[in-house]
Amino acid sequence: MTAENPAGPLGGHLDDDDFPAYTMGRAAEMLGTTQGFLRAIGDARLITPLRSEGGHRRYSRYQLRIAARARELVDHGTPMEAACRIVILEDQLEEARCVNAEYRRAAGSANPAAAA
């Protein structure tokens, strides 16, 4: 088994944050919540789990981090809809920061004299 040609049950997805590796039951167990909570944040469109061939929900590590943040807010008394909106905005802000950092790096490498 090599990095170029991964084999095994995960097919090279071990480090893939977006690979839907977790069943609803396992995801709920990992988060210390109920399957109903996962359905509720799905209904609120915070996360959209992928479906297995049999139609079962599957969650990625990225989705579990999002769900954990929503659960944290709900546990502190934030209503579900508000918690979902907060998490969405936090995620958008983080993405914008990453894009800005990439633009800064690109601008710095395009004009090395200005960076000095």
Side-chain angles (χ1 to χ4, degrees):
M1 177 168 32
T2 66
E4 297 81 32
N5 188 15
L10 294 178
H13 297 288
L14 192 58
D15 293 330
D16 185 353
D17 267 359
D18 295 318
F19 182 72
Y22 303 98
T23 63
M24 176 180 269
R26 181 68 180 129
E29 180 184 318
M30 290 170 66
L31 295 172
T33 191
T34 64
Q35 293 181 14
F37 177 81
L38 291 173
R39 282 188 205 94
I41 62 174
D43 291 344
R45 301 186 192 275
L46 177 61
I47 59 174
T48 303
L50 293 170
R51 298 282 181 151
S52 68
E53 289 181 17
H56 300 282
R57 291 175 179 90
R58 298 279 190 241
Y59 297 89
S60 68
R61 287 187 298 193
Y62 171 75
Q63 289 173 323
L64 294 183
R65 283 194 302 273
I66 296 291
R69 176 64 179 135
R71 179 171 185 246
E72 179 183 341
L73 290 168
V74 169
D75 286 351
H76 285 95
T78 306
M80 176 69 77
E81 297 79 23
C84 290
R85 185 67 182 138
I86 289 167
V87 173
I88 288 168
L89 291 171
E90 287 175 343
D91 196 50
Q92 289 173 344
L93 177 60
E94 180 60 28
E95 185 176 335
R97 285 180 174 157
C98 290
V99 169
N100 284 342
E102 184 60 35
Y103 284 147
R104 285 189 197 106
R105 280 191 293 277
S109 64
N111 190 2

